[in-house]
Amino acid sequence: MQVETEKNYKKFQIIDGDKVLVKGIRPKWYSSEIRFFHNNKTYEIKKKKFWSTSFIVLESGRQIGDIC
């Protein structure tokens, strides 16, 4: 597996052999939010609150998990 990044780490891909497993984007260069696409679904990881160290995981806008 390898990770390819573009332009200030804003876009990334995780590749296994010649197959792209996950494509992702950081919408803003200063943000900790990440959006990625897998199996034709959109996922997001974003902070619960601005100063928080906890994150929520969303699948197509619906919360599916937490990262503490």
Side-chain angles (χ1 to χ4, degrees), residues 36 41-45 55-67:
F36 60 95
K41 292 186 180 180
T42 301
Y43 296 88
E44 293 179 77
I45 300 173
F55 294 83
I56 58 172
V57 181
L58 304 164
E59 176 185 21
S60 300
R62 184 178 54 94
Q63 185 173 343
I64 60 168
D66 293 308
I67 302 172

Side-chain angles (χ1 to χ4, degrees), residues 12-68:
F12 66 91
Q13 296 181 11
I14 299 176
I15 302 170
D16 188 14
D18 61 347
K19 184 178 178 185
V20 176
L21 300 176
V22 175
K23 288 184 179 183
I25 186 168
R26 284 180 39 207
K28 300 171 187 144
W29 65 269
Y30 55 84
S31 175
S32 60
E33 180 179 335
I34 297 174
R35 288 188 195 137
F36 60 95
F37 311 95
H38 180 66
N39 289 337
N40 296 323
K41 292 186 180 180
T42 301
Y43 296 88
E44 293 179 77
I45 300 173
K46 56 172 117 177
K47 284 189 170 188
K48 285 185 177 183
K49 297 178 183 174
F50 184 77
W51 294 107
S52 176
T53 58
S54 298
F55 294 83
I56 58 172
V57 181
L58 304 164
E59 176 185 21
S60 300
R62 184 178 54 94
Q63 185 173 343
I64 60 168
D66 293 308
I67 302 172
C68 297

Side-chain angles (χ1 to χ4, degrees), residues 4-13 24-26:
E4 291 184 357
T5 58
E6 296 179 23
K7 196 170 185 177
N8 299 329
Y9 302 100
K10 187 171 180 169
K11 293 183 181 180
F12 66 91
Q13 296 181 11
I25 186 168
R26 284 180 39 207

